Amino acid sequence: MEMVREHRKYVVPEIITGDDARIYAGRYASNFHSNTVLLATDESIFRQKWMREILQGLDEAGTEYVVFSDIEENPPRDYNVMAGADVYLSEECTGILAIGGGSVLDCAKGIGIVAANGGTILDYVGVDQVRNPMPPLICVPTTAGSAADVSQYAVIRNADKKAKNIIISKSLVPDVSLLDTVPLMTQPKDVTVNSGIDALTHAIEAYVSNGASHLSDMMALESITLSAGFFPFSVDRADDPDSRFQSLMASMYAGIAFSNAGLGLIHAMSHAIGGLYDLPPMELPVQS
Ligand SMILES: [Fe+2]
C-alpha cells in the first residue's frame, strides 16, 4: 500500500456496531442534552417492531420526539428538507435522530444545516459552504450502501433543475452512527443488491482517487475484501444476519474511505443520469 505524504484530512463520527446498537439512541440524545429530537424516518420504518426499543430508550432518557417522515427518495428533494427544517424550528427541537436509508439520512443532514444556518438548503451546495455546526445528529441506517451515517456528504435533489446536488462539509459528519443488524434485516431485497453495489463502487472509487491516503486505502481495501465474501449477491442470503452485518461493515468502511478520499467517474455519471431520470445511485436487475 502506497504511503501518501501530502497533507490529508480524515474525519469519522463515533460509531457503535453490533446487534441492538440502536438501543443507545436515547442515551446519546440525553448525552447531547437534546430534550426534543426531530425523528426523521419514513412511515414503513416507523411501523417496524424494532422501533419500539428506540422509542422506549428515548422515553427512559426523558427525550421527547417529533416524527418527520415526508421524505422522498433518490435523493430527498430540496422542499422535503425545507419542510423538515420548519418542523424542527417550530417544535423547538434540539437534536436530530435519523432512522432510515440514505435519503432519510441525507434529508436529516439538510434539515440540520438549514436549522442552524437559515436560508434554503440549495445555498449550501458545494464544498465547505456550511458556516454553523449542525445540531447533534444520531443515525441508525436501515440500508448498507449510502453510508451517509459516517460521511461528510449529503445529496439533495434540486426539484426544479432535476439535478442531484452535493453538499460536502465536516459539519455533516454525524455525531454518532449506531450500526445495528436488526433494522438492516428489514431492507428490501432489491435495495440490498443496489446498496451493495453502491458500497463496492464507493470503495473502488475511493481507492483509485487522487485524494486517497493510507487511512482511506485501509478502509477501502477492507471493504472490498468484505464485499468479495458475499458477492455475487444472492437474495437467498438476504435473511442471514451474518451476511447482513458483513454488508453493513463493508458499507461503513467504504463510506469512511470515500468520505475522506472522494469519489470518481462512476458516481459523477450516476449523479447526472440519476438526477435527470430520478434513479437510485446504482441499480442492477434483481431476480427473485
Ligand atoms: Fe453511492
Side-chain angles (χ1 to χ4, degrees):
M1 194 185 301
E2 194 183 344
M3 289 280 185
V4 176
R5 291 169 64 192
E6 293 166 20
H7 296 175
R8 289 288 187 269
K9 182 175 77 170
Y10 194 78
V11 290
V12 287
E14 186 172 351
I15 298 170
I16 297 185
T17 61
D19 294 350
D20 298 324
R22 70 191 183 287
I23 62 170
Y24 295 108
R27 188 184 301 180
Y28 274 95
S30 172
N31 289 351
F32 296 144
H33 304 284
S34 298
N35 297 328
T36 304
V37 291
L38 186 81
L39 201 174
T41 187
D42 74 35
E43 289 292 338
S44 64
I45 288 172
F46 191 68
R47 286 195 298 269
Q48 297 291 335
K49 269 188 189 164
W50 50 258
M51 184 63 79
R52 204 168 36 205
E53 288 86 358
I54 294 178
L55 301 182
Q56 200 176 334
L58 291 173
D59 194 40
E60 285 166 8
T63 302
E64 306 277 335
Y65 64 90
V66 180
V67 176
F68 177 73
S69 60
D70 198 6
I71 302 171
E72 290 160 76
E73 292 185 333
N74 298 321
R77 278 45 174 167
D78 46 2
Y79 53 80
N80 297 148
V81 172
M82 297 311 293
D86 280 347
V87 175
Y88 184 95
L89 293 170
S90 64
E91 297 288 340
E92 300 182 345
C93 297
T94 46
I96 303 173
L97 171 57
I99 306 173
S103 296
V104 166
L105 304 183
D106 282 346
C107 191
K109 290 179 172 183
I111 291 167
I113 293 169
V114 175
N117 292 274
T120 82
I121 189 59
L122 298 177
D123 297 339
Y124 304 98
V125 171
V127 181
D128 288 339
Q129 301 299 312
V130 181
R131 186 180 294 255
N132 298 326
M134 296 202 314
L137 173 61
I138 304 165
C139 292
V140 182
T142 59
T143 61
S146 88
D149 52 289
V150 294
S151 82
Q152 54 179 330
Y153 281 51
V155 186
I156 306 292
R157 184 177 167 86
N158 180 328
D160 283 344
K161 293 190 175 169
K162 294 188 176 177
K164 291 187 181 185
N165 287 335
I166 302 177
I167 302 172
I168 305 174
S169 165
K170 194 170 81 172
S171 310
L172 270 61
V173 177
D175 290 271
V176 62
S177 175
L178 305 175
L179 296 178
D180 185 348
T181 326
V182 176
L184 201 67
M185 299 304 291
T186 51
Q187 179 182 230
K189 290 179 177 176
D190 61 332
V191 177
T192 302
V193 175
N194 294 339
S195 301
I197 290 292
D198 194 21
L200 179 61
T201 312
H202 291 158
I204 294 170
E205 288 190 80
Y207 188 70
V208 300
S209 166
N210 289 338
S213 68
H214 187 67
L215 284 166
S216 67
D217 281 354
M218 282 197 302
M219 292 289 165
L221 289 175
E222 180 62 16
S223 178
I224 293 167
T225 303
L226 280 172
S227 288
F230 54 79
F231 269 90
F233 277 110
S234 162
V235 288
D236 296 336
R237 287 169 65 192
D239 295 329
D240 171 28
D242 288 334
S243 292
R244 289 273 171 153
F245 188 66
Q246 200 172 337
S247 72
L248 191 57
M249 295 300 99
S251 168
M252 179 263 284
Y253 288 131
I256 293 173
F258 90 76
S259 173
N260 289 286
L263 287 167
L265 193 57
I266 299 173
H267 270 75
M269 291 191 295
S270 89
H271 279 156
I273 297 168
L276 206 54
Y277 296 106
D278 206 358
L279 299 170
M282 301 290 152
E283 190 162 25
L284 286 181
V286 179
Q287 292 179 334
S288 53

